[in-house]
Amino acid sequence: MTRYLQRHGVSCQHEVRVHTAEPDAGYLVRLAADVGADLIVTGGYGHSRLGEWVFGGMTQSLLRHAPVCLLMSH
């Protein structure tokens, strides 16, 4: 995806990172701020209410707390 976007004039980069026990949404928001990103691209998936209560809801957390634009696809 990065190469495709770069061929079309978009300045972008990708990285694969392994992180600690920090919640996923919080990690992505902090990472975006650390690198000066103005867009987070991620998948948006729904789970049962029980599953989100037990494991947390990354999609909802990003929608509520991300200070930058989001592009979500399901």
Side-chain angles (χ1 to χ4, degrees):
M1 180 57 76
T2 301
R3 278 187 239 136
Y4 173 83
L5 291 170
Q6 288 171 341
R7 281 194 304 262
H8 289 83
V10 176
S11 174
C12 62
Q13 64 184 33
H14 78 279
E15 294 182 35
V16 176
R17 294 187 181 205
V18 178
H19 63 92
T20 61
E22 183 179 1
D24 292 334
Y27 175 78
L28 284 177
V29 168
R30 185 175 55 77
L31 179 60
D34 289 351
V35 300
D38 56 3
L39 174 68
I40 296 174
V41 179
T42 185
Y45 299 94
H47 298 285
S48 70
R49 290 191 187 272
L50 177 61
E52 286 191 15
W53 180 76
V54 172
F55 300 111
M58 183 168 167
T59 300
Q60 284 296 325
S61 293
L62 282 174
L63 288 170
R64 287 187 182 135
H65 303 293
V68 297
C69 293
L70 297 171
L71 173 61
M72 294 185 164
S73 177
H74 176 72

